Amino acid sequence: MEQLITFIQKEFHHILRDTRSMLVLIGLPIVQLLIFGFAITTEVRNANIAILDNSKDEVTQSIITKIESSQYFDIDRSITSNDQIEEAFKSGKIKLAIVFQQNFQNELSHSNKAQLQIIADATDPNQATTLTNYLSSIVRDYQNELNRQNKLPYTINTEMRMLYNPQLRGAYTSVPGVMGMILLLISAMMTSIAIVREKELGTMEILLVSPMQPWLVVISKVIPYFIISLINVATILILSVFVLGLPIEGSLFLLTASTIIYIFCALSLGILISTITETQQAAMLISLLGLMLPVVMLSGYAFPIANMPTILQILSNLVPAKWYIIIVKNVMIKGIGIEQIWKELLILLAMTGTFLIISIKRFKIRL
């Protein structure tokens, strides 16, 4: 019995002495509980919308007031023509557009019917469905209020239109998210492990003091993963187009160039991880905790960022996958050009430069 107690105490000492194990055993469950329990929800709130009011009467203003007073929608802009709807969606600032027919109140009063069109950005089918359901519910509530005041029932027909993904197929959401996750994990995690493996075996220092330049040694470790990532991109795009039926609406060159920038960002992140870790297990642990979880939770792939607390919305800006997924959705699905994604590209380039500068400084310190 004494030996058993001694072994248990020894095991406890090992666990308590290992900071990384403590983070995984105690810190990670707490973080997951807090994030899943309080922060992340599939409910959509404060979605920006645009309104085209062709009638501008008392009834349409009442409906707009009800929409504006709800917690689900923020009216981003009022537009004056149908031509501005497409432009508003391509700017990426609205998720929904509402179009009132002309003479809305007169039609409702005389024929008891009026037409209201709802146009949603269906690049994210779940969000589009949720928002249209919210709006339909608000219109039904207003319609019920009118019917209680009148003998003849009023009918407001809501016509829904899903832009970019009219069939609400899940591939339109999953493909950009999978691309962002796979490229980041393959490029960053595997690069960091490959470099750390040399350090762990004691051969990295030998390579760095060899006649070969140190930066060439690092590049020689990075290039294979860069090529593998490009093969992954090509495979994903081919499967997306020919198997999932997801077309590439925009420029393939722009999509490829953006993807290469994202891969460079992920590779530089992998090099940075290799400078702060000494073992392969540590590199894998940091990669999984520092990359995979943020990609799933904070990139906008699985959960709407707008619904998260402010602190998580700020942290999401540090996740490279968030910006890459926005680029893929805009170029691949919406078919828009560089004029709408240059900010995201600049952010990825800035991240790449930052990771490389920090990595170079840390390599100099170590050697």
Side-chain angles (χ1 to χ4, degrees):
M1 180 61 72
E2 289 183 0
Q3 288 182 343
L4 176 62
I5 295 174
T6 303
F7 273 109
I8 292 175
Q9 290 176 339
K10 182 182 177 183
E11 192 65 27
F12 266 117
H13 283 303
H14 278 298
I15 294 174
L16 294 173
R17 197 169 51 189
D18 189 347
T19 307
R20 289 165 298 184
S21 298
M22 288 295 296
L23 286 174
V24 174
L25 293 174
I26 298 177
L28 185 59
I30 293 174
V31 172
Q32 287 182 320
L33 179 65
L34 292 176
I35 292 177
F36 282 106
F38 298 101
I40 294 177
T41 172
T42 56
E43 187 179 1
V44 181
R45 294 179 183 175
N46 302 321
N48 289 328
I49 63 174
I51 292 181
L52 173 56
D53 188 354
N54 292 313
S55 184
K56 298 185 185 302
D57 53 47
E58 184 179 344
V59 174
T60 59
Q61 289 303 313
S62 298
I63 296 175
I64 292 173
T65 301
K66 277 189 166 296
I67 294 171
E68 194 171 16
S69 62
S70 74
Q71 60 181 332
Y72 304 117
F73 300 106
D74 288 334
I75 299 178
D76 182 75
R77 65 187 71 183
S78 295
I79 51 182
T80 55
S81 69
N82 289 316
D83 296 336
Q84 296 176 357
I85 296 176
E86 186 80 10
E87 181 183 349
F89 275 108
K90 287 188 174 181
S91 71
K93 295 181 178 178
I94 66 166
K95 299 296 181 185
L96 202 77
I98 304 168
V99 181
F100 292 95
Q101 70 168 97
Q102 290 183 345
N103 301 318
F104 189 92
Q105 185 172 2
N106 289 336
E107 290 291 332
L108 194 63
S109 301
H110 294 94
S111 63
N112 294 334
K113 292 182 179 179
Q115 195 73 25
L116 171 65
Q117 186 180 31
I118 303 172
I119 306 173
D121 180 356
T123 53
D124 187 337
N126 294 330
Q127 188 178 67
T129 304
T130 302
L131 291 177
T132 53
N133 287 337
Y134 287 162
L135 191 56
S136 298
S137 176
I138 292 173
V139 174
R140 279 198 302 272
D141 289 341
Y142 180 76
Q143 184 175 302
N144 291 336
E145 290 178 7
L146 289 179
N147 290 337
R148 280 195 293 269
Q149 300 169 8
N150 297 278
K151 294 180 180 179
L152 294 176
Y154 287 126
T155 301
I156 300 176
N157 295 323
T158 55
E159 178 189 349
M160 298 183 190
R161 180 184 170 200
M162 298 293 180
L163 287 181
Y164 312 117
N165 183 15
Q167 297 176 337
L168 298 179
R169 299 175 61 184
Y172 283 69
T173 299
S174 62
V175 169
V178 169
M179 288 177 67
M181 182 183 298
I182 288 179
L183 293 179
L184 194 64
L185 290 181
I186 292 291
S187 303
M189 185 171 71
M190 299 310 295
T191 299
S192 65
I193 292 174
I195 296 176
V196 171
R197 185 187 301 119
E198 298 290 348
K199 294 162 60 179
E200 196 174 22
L201 296 174
T203 55
M204 191 64 182
E205 282 74 12
I206 297 175
L207 289 173
L208 293 178
V209 298
S210 67
M212 192 173 179
Q213 293 293 327
W215 62 275
L216 289 176
V217 174
V218 175
I219 288 179
S220 67
K221 293 287 182 185
V222 167
I223 286 179
Y225 297 103
F226 175 73
I227 296 174
I228 292 173
S229 298
L230 290 180
I231 294 173
N232 281 330
V233 172
T235 304
I236 291 173
L237 291 180
I238 290 172
L239 291 175
S240 300
V241 174
F242 296 103
V243 178
L244 299 176
L246 178 62
I248 301 175
E249 298 289 352
S251 167
L252 181 60
F253 174 78
L254 180 59
L255 180 62
T256 305
S258 304
T259 302
I260 290 175
I261 292 175
Y262 179 63
I263 292 174
F264 279 132
C265 182
L267 292 173
S268 61
L269 185 56
I271 296 173
L272 175 61
I273 293 173
S274 70
T275 65
I276 60 176
T277 53
E278 297 294 335
T279 64
Q280 299 177 59
Q281 289 79 7
M284 182 175 292
L285 184 64
I286 291 176
S287 299
L288 288 175
L289 291 178
L291 300 181
M292 189 171 181
L293 289 180
V295 169
V296 174
M297 296 180 181
L298 300 178
S299 68
Y301 164 45
F303 308 100
I305 294 175
N307 297 347
M308 299 177 185
T310 305
I311 182 65
L312 289 184
Q313 292 188 33
I314 295 173
L315 290 176
S316 70
N317 294 324
L318 303 177
V319 181
K322 169 189 173 180
W323 307 108
Y324 179 66
I325 290 173
I326 292 174
I327 292 172
V328 174
K329 282 186 175 180
N330 284 336
V331 176
M332 190 172 178
I333 300 176
K334 290 186 177 179
I336 60 181
I338 194 170
E339 64 276 3
Q340 298 293 340
I341 62 168
W342 63 271
K343 290 181 181 177
E344 287 77 11
L345 289 175
L346 284 180
I347 291 173
L348 289 179
L349 287 171
M351 287 183 172
T352 305
T354 303
F355 296 149
L356 287 176
I357 291 172
I358 297 175
S359 301
I360 291 171
K361 287 186 175 180
R362 290 196 61 86
F363 264 113
K364 288 182 177 178
I365 291 172
R366 291 183 55 80
L367 296 178

